[in-house]
């Protein structure tokens, strides 16, 4: 553990009442990090609670302790610790609670991290925040089988199961060390990346069959209208991962997944191969992300949104 991370370890060691904060609309990485830290600190005899302003998606309910998440309260905690959150707004409604704590720390792996805690530790080249939390808890000697299973889930979630370019030799090395504990790695991978409910399967089937290709197949557009969610009893949160089926097609350089979340309001996911930068496209519409995966929100008529996205993609290829 380096000196900066040791400082975080010291802050955790000297506190007895700790609240661990996830970002709003939590993903597998932030949930796993918060639960791993809480379990490790509980094992060390401390009070540590995971806090999130939104519910844990059903797909992550398998993670040990997922039922223990609490909404932000009015109590000023001794130490507030944010995981996987690039700025205060990412904590959503939990931001106030975070700021009210006597001491505040954060660990994160977003390039865009704004130092919003008193002490921030960022490794932008970590594939998952769970990699950093592993170094922290391993250095503190607090990893047990259950903590290991959580951290493995976090890494598997954010690295796309070791497929994204963010995956490094260290990612694999940490995964190897976690697999030395008594964890069911194959089951964790299945639950994070493959498992589907029949409803989500129906949504995927419906939407993939309508995928539109433009520019000789260089651009693919998946569209999820509210009628699709209604017909399959699903929601925009269930579209996660489906865009991979479009960007993986030979010849496709840019893929969009456009989800109607409200009247004239769309959530857009962008994936690219080598010829275009996804964050560059998303940034043009006020969004952001990484070079191969990014997202933004857009308002307007569906046809206009598609026209703007196609133009943005063409301009950058
Ligand atoms: Mn993350």
């Amino acid at each position: 553990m380096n000196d900066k991370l040791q400082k975080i370890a010291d802050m955790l060691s000297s506190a007895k009442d700790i609240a661990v904060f996830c970002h709003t609309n939590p993903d597998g990485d932030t949930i796993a990090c918060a639960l791993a830290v809480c379990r490790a600190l509980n094992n060390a005899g401390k009070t540590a609670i995971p806090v999130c302003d939104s519910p844990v998606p059903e797909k992550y309910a398998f993670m040990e302790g997922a039922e223990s998440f609490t909404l932000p309260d009015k109590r000023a905690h001794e130490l507030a610790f944010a995981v996987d959150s690039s700025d205060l707004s990412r904590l959503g409604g939990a931001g106030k609670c975070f700021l009210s704590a006597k001491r505040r720390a954060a660990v994160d792996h977003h390039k865009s991290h704004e130092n919003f805690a008193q002490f921030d530790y960022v490794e932008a080249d970590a594939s998952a925040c769970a990699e950093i939390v592993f170094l922290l808890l391993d250095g503190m000697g607090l990893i047990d089988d259950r903590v290991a299973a959580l951290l493995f889930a976090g890494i598997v979630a954010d690295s796309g199961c070791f497929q994204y370019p963010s995956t490094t030799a260290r990612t694999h090395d940490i995964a190897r060390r976690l697999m030395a504990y008594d964890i069911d790695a194959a089951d964790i991978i299945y639950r994070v990346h493959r498992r589907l409910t029949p409803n989500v399967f129906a949504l995927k089937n419906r939407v993939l069959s309508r995928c539109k290709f433009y520019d000789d197949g260089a651009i693919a557009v998946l569209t999820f209208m509210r009628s699709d969610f209604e017909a399959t009893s699903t929601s925009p949160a269930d579209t996660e991962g489906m865009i991979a089926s479009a960007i993986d097609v030979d010849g496709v350089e840019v893929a969009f997944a456009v989800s109607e979340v409200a009247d004239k309001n769309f959530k857009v996911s962008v994936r690219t191969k080598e010829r275009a930068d996804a964050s560059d496209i998303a940034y043009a519409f006020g969004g952001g992300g990484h070079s191969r995966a990014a997202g933004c929100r857009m308002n307007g008529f569906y046809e206009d949104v598609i026209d703007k996205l196609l133009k943005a993609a063409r301009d950058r290829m």
Side-chain angles (χ1 to χ4, degrees), residues 29 84 109 129 158:
D29 187 29
D84 197 36
H109 70 131
C129 190
D158 252 26

